[in-house]
């Protein structure tokens, strides 16, 4: 068997050209009779083959491993939690390990390993004594070398590893490399050098806004850490109740400081590497504890995991262990009563939660997006979580979170457009377009929208049908997504092509593709839409979602939070899911028309959506979102302050000038 880490490597290997002129064949096809792959088979570990017909002996993990292997996700979460479990009772003399801090990245890395194990256990059964030729390239593939060593030992096969380029020391990546499972990043020393002005500005702003804490000041003290679009309404509500509030950031946030400067809010920063008292290597034994006990179906994963953790130590260790001392110092200075986050899965938030537990501070998460998968939500590291509605609560219960830790509070930053009554924020006028015809367009005034006006789509008879596609972040072949979601580069392109083909059925139709906020490069989408020159396709990135909703006859959502927001607004929303994915976001539970995975399903659902049209009022509002705006923020503030005495008397008089209870619109 010939095994390549990725397709570019296969193309560069002499004599392999005849093996790579292929593309994924029948979707999710398993092996031949008896569970064996005949003849000289070729396996691709990352990405899919391209072009032509797929011969029987060419395979890729991206196409073979789908939602039928959902046990991979569950086991990856279990193994990652096992490695980080020792942090549950963090003592004063202990510090979190790299496994705890990077648990989210570790889960995705374990998915990457377990896909290989699943292929050779459930798809292709190795024959003892057969020969495997493994082609790898560079330091990033060290984990594959460790894993296939364990697989060869388990199945008794003869393994030969061919390195193309310098692999670095065996079992440990060279210093300065980056984690492929976590994504590209700079070592902390380089990050520090790239933003000197931000550090200087942060120190100046802290000096200007720093206020002393009187010993008799018994007001609640809350630290916020997360996306301001999620936590801004909570911040305003806490200020209105007389609380002291701080924002915790890794680097100085200019916009957040400008917005809250009149309220006297100080930012607690974690951008000083000079505060370290210990080096990362001194913690290597702690971060690798328990690794050798991770075994899946007789295959030892400890070598690959230890290699990955060493890579994290080399690239992220100094920076992340620096957070420990800096956040601990902030907690000792502020002495907070609560920590509020938008999630507890990423490294900085997990360090903050660990420090909160060490100092006896309650931590609470505010739901940040649609629960499309457990990795960003469960297991819950913080003490509690405030969710939008019963739909999210039921999903978290299914993922094993204790009911007592889940509180239905609502969606504080949802400002939902409803096409019900005319509004002064919209006007009808003719504007020229690129084409010869002149079309009606909707003009949206964000200020009027924030004041509570509803949006109304002003249609013109016989106007072209308008579609809005809410895209997801293009996948990274080096960091496979969960098996349940099964989003790969191949089926991501297939989803975009499926949407374009369905829209092309309507004469003169327009398709607007709204890129995800975390999409850094639109080149992927530009190359995909070039295949449809006959369509009027527009790519938008920074335009507000509410205006796009109002200007669409049908919304196509790639399992996104914005799609739920559009459905609550009354828009007909069809969900696009990768072929082979599980029911990650059940349509009936979230007010969607349905979910389409194949080109045959999508046109039928679009016809249903257009036949239903916009609704005058939202559907299933209490189940999806209990409250919105300042009412939801008030419910969250109640949970934050629930363990303390009632708010200080006359708190309304303490409200800082210019700080109101806003209903913050989501700008996707």
């Amino acid at each position: 068997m010939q095994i390549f880490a990725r397709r570019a490597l296969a193309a560069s290997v002499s004599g392999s050209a005849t093996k790579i002129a292929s593309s994924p064949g029948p979707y999710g096809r398993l092996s031949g009779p008896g569970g064996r792959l005949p003849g000289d088979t070729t396996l691709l570990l990352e990405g899919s083959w391209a072009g032509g017909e797929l011969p029987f002996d060419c395979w890729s993990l991206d196409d073979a491993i789908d939602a039928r292997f959902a046990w991979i996700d569950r086991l990856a979460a279990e193994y990652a939690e096992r490695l980080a479990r020792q942090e549950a009772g963090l003592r004063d003399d202990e510090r979190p390990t790299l496994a705890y801090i990077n648990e989210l990245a570790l889960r995705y890395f374990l998915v990457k390993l377990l896909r290989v194990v699943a292929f050779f256990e459930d798809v292709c059964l190795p024959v003892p004594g057969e020969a495997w030729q493994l082609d790898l390239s560079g330091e990033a593939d060290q984990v594959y070398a460790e894993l296939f060593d364990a697989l060869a030992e388990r199945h008794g096969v003869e393994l030969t590893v061919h390195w193309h380029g310098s692999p670095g020391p065996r079992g440990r990546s060279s210093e300065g490399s980056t984690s492929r499972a976590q994504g590209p990043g700079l070592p902390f020393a380089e990050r520090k050098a790239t933003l000197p002005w931000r550090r200087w500005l942060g120190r100046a702003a802290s000096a200007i806004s720093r206020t002393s804490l009187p010993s008799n000041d018994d007001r609640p003290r809350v630290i916020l850490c997360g996306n301001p679009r999620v936590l801004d309404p909570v911040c305003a509500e806490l200020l209105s109740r007389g609380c002291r509030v701080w924002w915790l950031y890794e680097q100085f946030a200019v916009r957040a400081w400008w917005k809250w400067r009149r309220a006297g809010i100080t930012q607690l920063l974690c951008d000083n590497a000079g505060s370290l008292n210990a080096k990362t290597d001194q913690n290597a034994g702690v971060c690798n504890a328990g690794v050798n006990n991770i075994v899946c179906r007789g295959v030892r994963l400890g070598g690959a995991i230890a290699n990955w953790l060493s890579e994290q130590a080399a690239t992220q260790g100094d920076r992340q262990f620096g957070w420990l001392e800096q956040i601990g110092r902030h907690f000792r200075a502020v002495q907070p009563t609560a920590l509020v986050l938008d999630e507890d899965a990423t490294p900085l938030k997990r360090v903050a939660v660990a420090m909160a537990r060490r100092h006896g501070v309650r931590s609470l998460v505010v739901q940040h997006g649609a629960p499309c998968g457990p990795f960003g939500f469960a297991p819950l590291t913080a003490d509690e979580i405030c969710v939008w509605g019963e739909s999210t609560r039921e999903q978290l219960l299914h993922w094993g979170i204790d009911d007592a830790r889940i509180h239905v509070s609502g969606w504080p930053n949802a400002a939902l457009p409803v096409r019900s009554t005319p509004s002064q924020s919209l006007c009808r006028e003719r504007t020229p377009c690129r084409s010869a015809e002149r079309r009606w367009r909707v003009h949206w005034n964000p200020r009027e929208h924030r004041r509570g006006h509803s949006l109304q789509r002003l249609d013109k008879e016989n106007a072209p049908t308008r579609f809005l596609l809410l895209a997801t972040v293009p996948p990274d072949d080096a960091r496979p997504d969960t098996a349940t979601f099964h989003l790969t580069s191949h089926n991501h392109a297939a989803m975009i092509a499926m949407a374009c083909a369905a829209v092309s059925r309507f004469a003169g139709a327009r398709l607007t593709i709204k890129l995800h906020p975390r999409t850094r490069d639109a080149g992927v989408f530009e190359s995909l839409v070039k295949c449809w020159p006959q369509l009027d396709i527009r790519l938008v990135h920074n335009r507000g979602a509410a205006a796009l909703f109002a200007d669409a006859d049908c919304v196509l959502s790639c399992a996104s939070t914005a799609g739920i927001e559009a459905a609550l607004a009354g828009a007909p929303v069809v969900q696009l899911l990768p072929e082979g994915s599980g029911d990650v976001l059940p349509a009936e539970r979230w007010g969607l028309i349905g979910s389409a995975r194949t080109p045959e399903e999508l046109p039928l659902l679009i016809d249903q959506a257009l036949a239903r049209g916009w609704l005058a009022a939202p559907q299933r509002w209490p189940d999806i979102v209990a409250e919105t705006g300042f009412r939801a923020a008030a419910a969250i503030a109640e949970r934050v302050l629930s363990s303390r005495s009632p708010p200080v008397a006359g708190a309304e008089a303490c409200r800082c000038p210019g700080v109101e209870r806003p209903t913050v619109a989501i700008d996707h």
Side-chain angles (χ1 to χ4, degrees):
M1 174 182 287
Q2 189 79 26
I3 305 169
F4 296 101
R6 57 196 60 84
R7 184 173 180 271
L9 180 60
S12 66
V13 175
S14 176
S16 64
T18 58
K19 297 181 180 180
I20 64 174
S22 55
S23 66
Y27 187 81
R29 183 184 62 184
L30 292 179
S31 59
R36 285 289 305 133
L37 295 178
D40 186 16
T41 57
T42 304
L43 174 64
L44 193 62
L45 301 180
E46 298 176 5
S48 299
W49 303 106
E53 295 292 332
L54 177 67
F56 192 79
D57 59 354
C58 285
W59 290 81
S60 73
L61 294 181
D62 278 6
D63 301 313
I65 306 299
D66 55 18
R68 295 170 298 174
F69 299 85
W71 61 265
I72 290 177
D73 304 337
R74 295 190 295 268
L75 204 58
E78 177 186 333
Y79 287 163
E81 180 70 9
R82 184 187 304 177
L83 291 170
R85 189 176 299 166
Q86 56 185 317
E87 310 307 329
L90 196 66
R91 301 192 306 268
D92 291 342
D93 58 342
E94 292 178 337
R95 58 170 52 189
T97 65
L98 289 173
Y100 168 85
I101 297 174
N102 298 281
E103 186 174 345
L104 178 62
L106 180 56
R107 293 172 198 164
Y108 282 105
F109 175 72
L110 287 168
V111 168
K112 181 176 182 176
L113 300 183
L114 293 174
R115 293 199 320 163
V116 181
V117 176
F119 181 83
F120 288 105
E121 293 290 333
D122 296 337
V123 179
C124 170
L125 305 181
V127 175
E130 70 175 323
W132 286 358
Q133 304 295 322
L134 177 62
D135 288 86
L136 304 175
S137 174
E139 300 166 357
D141 290 343
Q142 284 286 344
V143 292
Y144 283 134
E146 297 283 356
L147 177 60
F148 275 89
D149 277 346
L151 279 167
E153 180 183 357
R154 161 78 169 85
H155 295 288
V157 301
E158 182 181 345
L159 175 66
T160 303
V161 180
H162 304 280
W163 286 101
H164 304 270
S166 174
R170 180 71 170 173
R172 180 179 176 89
S173 299
S174 300
E175 185 176 357
S177 61
T178 60
S179 170
R180 298 296 297 262
Q182 185 177 2
L186 291 173
F188 180 69
E190 296 181 27
R191 292 168 57 91
K192 175 183 176 181
T194 56
L195 297 171
W197 66 270
R198 189 181 292 270
R199 175 177 286 104
W200 177 86
L201 189 58
R203 291 173 179 173
S206 298
I208 294 173
S209 58
R210 182 180 291 117
T211 56
S212 60
L213 295 176
S215 58
N216 60 348
D217 187 356
D218 61 349
R219 289 181 294 171
R221 302 173 182 180
V222 183
I223 293 180
L224 303 178
C225 181
N227 191 330
R229 287 187 292 184
V230 177
L231 298 182
D232 270 350
V234 181
C235 180
E237 180 64 26
L238 290 171
L239 288 173
S240 73
R241 293 170 180 248
C243 301
R244 294 292 305 273
V245 180
W246 291 260
W247 283 90
L248 176 64
Y249 287 110
E250 180 182 0
Q251 297 176 338
F252 180 67
V254 178
R255 292 184 181 179
W257 170 78
W258 182 259
K259 179 171 185 176
W260 299 106
R261 68 192 188 285
R262 288 187 292 176
I265 294 180
T266 303
Q267 293 185 18
L268 309 176
L269 306 180
C270 303
D271 60 352
N272 185 8
S275 64
L276 284 174
N277 291 329
K279 295 297 182 181
T280 303
D281 323 11
Q282 300 175 5
N283 300 276
V286 179
C287 71
N288 287 341
V291 166
N292 292 331
N293 297 326
I294 303 299
V295 180
C296 176
R297 297 190 177 186
V299 180
R300 295 190 174 275
L301 306 179
I305 297 174
N307 184 283
W308 184 85
L309 288 172
S310 297
E311 193 174 358
Q312 295 299 305
T315 60
Q316 308 290 342
D318 288 346
R319 168 175 162 241
Q320 293 178 350
F321 283 123
W323 294 342
L324 289 171
E325 184 171 331
Q326 292 169 314
I327 294 178
R329 184 186 305 156
H330 292 322
F331 271 73
R332 290 190 294 272
V334 172
Q335 299 179 4
T337 57
L339 171 68
V340 182
L341 315 102
D342 62 341
E343 45 86 6
D344 61 356
T346 52
L348 181 65
K349 316 294 177 59
R350 294 183 68 81
V351 172
V353 171
M355 292 296 101
R357 184 171 291 115
R358 173 181 291 181
H359 290 82
V361 177
R362 293 174 60 247
S363 56
L364 182 143
V365 170
V366 177
Q367 182 178 349
H368 64 281
C372 297
F375 280 12
F377 293 87
L380 182 65
T381 306
D383 297 322
E384 304 169 79
I385 182 171
C386 291
V387 299
W388 297 341
E390 287 297 325
S391 294
T392 303
R393 176 180 168 274
E394 293 173 5
Q395 184 63 74
L396 297 187
L397 289 174
H398 176 70
W399 289 335
I401 298 180
D402 186 11
D403 189 22
R405 304 172 67 188
I406 306 173
H407 308 285
V408 176
S409 304
W411 192 350
N413 60 324
L416 305 175
V418 179
R419 295 195 326 165
S420 55
T421 59
S423 169
Q424 294 179 354
S425 62
L426 299 176
C427 62
R428 175 183 285 185
E429 65 178 39
R430 292 182 180 273
T431 57
C433 296
R434 292 178 299 177
S435 57
E437 63 174 327
R438 303 172 76 88
R439 301 174 181 171
W440 297 102
R441 286 188 175 175
V442 175
H443 292 263
W444 179 60
N445 187 328
R447 179 176 298 178
E448 295 293 333
H449 176 57
R450 285 197 295 267
R451 291 175 183 173
H453 289 283
S454 60
L455 294 179
Q456 182 189 27
R457 169 73 187 282
L458 301 176
D459 294 319
K460 180 188 176 184
E461 293 184 3
N462 302 322
T465 308
R466 295 164 180 169
F467 294 88
L468 171 64
L469 173 59
L470 302 171
T472 188
V473 181
D476 180 8
D477 290 340
R479 197 219 69 173
D481 216 314
T482 60
T484 303
F485 193 29
H486 192 237
L487 182 66
T488 67
S489 296
H490 172 70
N491 57 27
H492 175 262
M495 290 168 60
I496 303 299
M498 180 172 65
C500 293
V503 171
S504 66
R505 300 183 304 131
F506 301 86
R510 185 184 74 191
L511 175 62
T512 301
I513 301 180
K514 174 69 170 66
L515 304 184
H516 193 279
R518 288 190 284 113
T519 300
R520 298 181 179 180
D521 184 11
V524 175
F525 295 93
E526 292 173 352
S527 62
L528 292 175
V529 300
K530 284 180 180 178
C531 301
W532 302 88
Q534 72 277 20
L535 285 180
D536 181 6
I537 302 179
R538 308 175 186 188
L539 300 178
V540 296
H541 198 177
N542 297 320
R543 188 180 177 189
L548 297 174
F549 296 160
D551 199 25
D553 297 300
C554 178
V555 178
L556 308 177
S557 171
C558 297
S560 69
T561 300
I564 297 175
E565 190 177 10
L568 294 176
V573 180
V574 176
Q575 182 172 231
L576 300 183
L577 292 177
E579 190 175 6
S581 62
D583 204 7
V584 294
L585 206 64
E588 65 279 0
R589 188 182 298 174
W590 294 94
L592 310 176
I593 299 297
S595 299
R597 294 177 175 83
T598 65
E600 294 76 26
E601 296 173 345
L602 183 56
L604 299 177
L605 291 174
I606 287 180
D607 292 342
Q608 294 180 27
L610 295 175
R612 196 207 73 174
W614 275 73
L615 298 175
Q619 276 189 326
R620 298 177 60 84
W621 180 282
D623 293 336
I624 303 174
V625 177
E627 293 288 352
T628 60
F630 73 87
R631 291 184 180 87
I636 295 172
E638 288 291 341
R639 292 305 313 172
V640 173
L641 306 175
S642 60
S643 63
R644 292 183 52 88
S645 57
V648 181
E652 292 291 354
C654 300
R655 182 180 296 176
C656 299
V659 178
E660 302 295 335
R661 290 178 170 179
T663 302
V664 182
I666 303 177
D667 185 11
H668 292 273

